[in-house]
Amino acid sequence: MINVRFTVFGGVSAWVDGRATEFGPTRLGALLGVLLVDAGRVVGPDELVERVLGDTPPPRARAMMQTWLTRLRQTLPGLIEREAGGYVVRVDPLEIDLHLFRHLVRTGRTAEAIALADAELLSTLDTPWARQRRRDFAAELLAAQLDHVDARLSSGEHAKLVPELQVLVAERPLDERIAAQLIEALHGSGRTADAIRHFELLKARLATELGAEPSRQLTTLHRRLQAASAPRQLPAPPKPFTGRALELAELDQAPNGVVVITGTGGVGKTSLAVHWAHRAAARFPDGQLYVNLHGFGPSGAALSPGDALLRFLSALDVPRAKVPHDLAGQAALLRDTLADKRVLMLLDNATDADQIEPLLPRTPNTHVVVTSRTALKPTHKARSLPLGLLPPDDARELLTARIGHDRAQAEPEAVDTVVRRCARLPLALALAGARAATQPEFPLAALADELADLDAFADDDDVTADLRSVFSHSCRALSPPALRLFGLLGLMPGSDISLAGAASLAGLGLPKTEALLAELARANLLDESEPGRFTCHDLLRDYAAELAHAGERDEALHRLLDHLALTGVEAGVVFTPSRHRPATPQPAPGVVVTRFGTHEDAFAWLMAEHPTLMSAMPHGTPAQTWLMGWSLADVLDRQAHYRDLLASQQLAVAALEQLDDTDGLGRTLINLGRGLARVGRLDESTAALERAFEVYEGNPAGQAGVLLNIAMLCPDDRIPEALEHTRRGLALFEECGDEYGQANALTGLAWGYGKIGGYALAVEYAERAMKMWQAMDHVIGMAETWDNLGTGYQGLGDHERAAHAFTQSSRYFRLGGDLRLEAEAHEQLGDTHLAAGDAEQARRAWQRSLDLRTGAGLPAGSVLAKLQAERQ
């Protein structure tokens, strides 16, 4: 049996028993193609002429067509039949790639169909009919692609689809089906905030360009995402929770405002607040915000109002670029963000009114619950809810829930004794109950006897005066290794610790440490606050610190600080690969040094450990302290934690002044100069950089790096001064053969000359830099250099080359993940198109810049003004 198949994607060809006949851009191929597209349908002579020769065929066109038909029928005998009214191809449609494509789409095999359509339909035929068929098929292909996207979304390929859909959206910004798919993909990738921003962007464009509203499907999707994106930060509800009926009723009845729950340590303030918050969550559909302020934790662990504000703004999906640097501005932004939202805010473990005052939004629909051991008096009117000991019946119920009803019923007198000797404190009862639950064979009376020494304070007004007896009782059930680890955990400088940190503290392997942490959690002495991170009540922590053996305290803390410092370096190198890795000492025996495979993993570790690193730095050796400061410098700068950036680099400089490390001191002074500049202390920043220059005496590469940083501080009216610093830096980099530094300096010179109108020099320096960046395959370096070339060409009047340069610049900035500079490149591309007289291309480029800026929360006034002026 003869095997025949035909292609009309790309050039027209026929395959007979595996042997191809390629027709190329011939009239025979065009004629065969138009018949194959309509296989099984009769096509008249005049239609054939129009399809093959166009609207204005030459004289004797029908005779020419007859000649080609004859030759084609000789080449492929039996394929084309003459019928009344014209000619027809009689062949199984599935032997023609176009018709096979349609069959695959109809049967749901879209991936195969898309792979089949790998070239343009009838690509060698350029007539009006062929062009229209290509447009029609492009719509078919797009529909098939979008069907395939739906299938991939259903199978969970959200993250893989995001970049593909972003390309489609850029090509078809008003297509609502594509927009809905991108929104679904972003949401499914954990980027719900980006999904909502894309909806808002599309809604604005539909209104501006079409005067239309989003479809019902998109609006429904938007509502679903808004519900999904509302912050749900509450800790897990306490289990079991009993009693407190009066306090719960008071919380239920309190109008929106501020309620301060006060009481002694261990009395159950947090349990009450969290239990009620979960119960009342439906009243606050726009989210529940929670933060542990660590007001009564170890010294230095209390959370600053600024850090708490940044956490809330991040949870509310406020882009980092929109967050002001000052505390007052951040507080105002929180108020604006919550203005129309019904949100519950739980401020746990506050130390004083000053800590919570900036966090109070004072908006009508926001309700704030605060817990504290002290009676806070914020300036905003607040209701006070003092929390006393559990009533006896509630205390018995709580212990019963821990140990089991049958056991409690069997020994009611022992239950009463344990309740009395635990002073009706929920924390003490939870520990006693956990001990009893882990030893079900022990009589409850024996547990009560172990607590006998608590009778001395059970009725005392200061009921927490000697909780050590309850804690001691709980610790007796621990294995010796778990008891040792518990004592060492009291030394941790931050409010929580990772598995690797705990292993380093104890000098044990990860599996053994994980098992011991689980034992402590079962005894209620430790909580896993989030996967892989552990914390405990501050009263337990204080007690634990007393248990640590004096002979190993210093070594254990040194191991933990070694873990933080050396793992920090590993994370810092992966987070910013272009940084020079500092020299690091060998880790002490027993230290776990974590390494990272991806930028995302490194970033996640740095942000999780940021508070702990800040708390640990004052306790480290000079080497540990400066390495922790080094690891934090870039991430704190990029995440706009400028106060911590400045504080960490001040500590790092002080540490390095005790070490013989001029390179470390020089680079840390540069980081300090950067931190000072970020908070507007420019004179001090310049002084720090000048000191770095002195420290680097005899080190030309170090001094050159300082000069480039000084140049970056120069405002626009001092560009010639910046150029002089950069030229000096370039000479020093050339002297020591530092090619990376040379490329940086050349890029700085190209930028500076572009700023002052020296366009020819800008192009000259940019071309030199480009060769070096390309040799290094440095994406951001190439992006900046294309940008400088665009400025130079535009200034020289070469609009075509400028447009190409800005297009390349935007592409490389996108690859490098810099949205702000990508947006600027698109704006400059629009300026170039306008200068060249192409207003439509200018509008498209500006619109892309506006979309990027709006999506990232960046200022967009300049490009918006250009778009509005062009529309007028």
Side-chain angles (χ1 to χ4, degrees), residues 211-337:
E213 290 290 325
S215 66
R216 180 180 298 179
Q217 176 198 2
L218 269 175
T219 304
T220 302
L221 175 59
H222 179 238
R223 282 198 298 269
R224 176 163 61 84
L225 295 189
Q226 280 186 313
S229 69
R232 304 280 188 259
Q233 293 189 314
L234 295 176
K239 293 181 179 179
F241 181 89
T242 61
R244 302 298 190 193
L246 293 176
E247 291 86 353
L248 288 168
E250 189 166 345
L251 286 168
D252 284 336
Q253 294 162 14
N256 285 347
V258 180
V259 177
V260 181
I261 303 174
T262 58
T264 190
V267 80
K269 300 180 297 297
T270 298
S271 292
L272 170 64
V274 172
H275 175 78
W276 177 82
H278 278 281
R279 197 171 82 164
R283 284 173 48 187
F284 306 100
D286 295 317
Q288 301 92 45
L289 298 169
Y290 170 87
V291 66
N292 186 343
L293 296 169
H294 299 292
F296 295 89
S299 175
L303 196 69
S304 70
D307 283 337
L309 280 167
L310 289 176
R311 293 186 187 188
F312 284 162
L313 291 168
S314 176
L316 293 163
D317 295 324
V318 176
R320 175 69 66 175
K322 292 181 68 174
V323 178
H325 304 322
D326 62 295
L327 188 65
Q330 292 167 356
L333 180 58
L334 180 65
R335 284 195 297 274
D336 291 344
T337 305

Side-chain angles (χ1 to χ4, degrees), residues 771-804:
K771 293 177 182 177
M772 303 180 80
W773 290 130
Q774 287 174 334
M776 289 181 265
D777 196 26
H778 196 287
V779 171
I780 292 295
M782 288 188 281
E784 292 174 342
T785 304
W786 277 117
D787 198 70
N788 292 331
L789 282 169
T791 300
Y793 291 139
Q794 178 69 357
L796 294 171
D798 191 339
H799 303 314
E800 184 177 349
R801 295 176 78 180
H804 173 71

Side-chain angles (χ1 to χ4, degrees), residues 358-370:
L359 307 178
L360 303 179
R362 300 178 176 85
T363 55
N365 296 318
T366 302
H367 187 53
V368 183
V369 176
V370 184

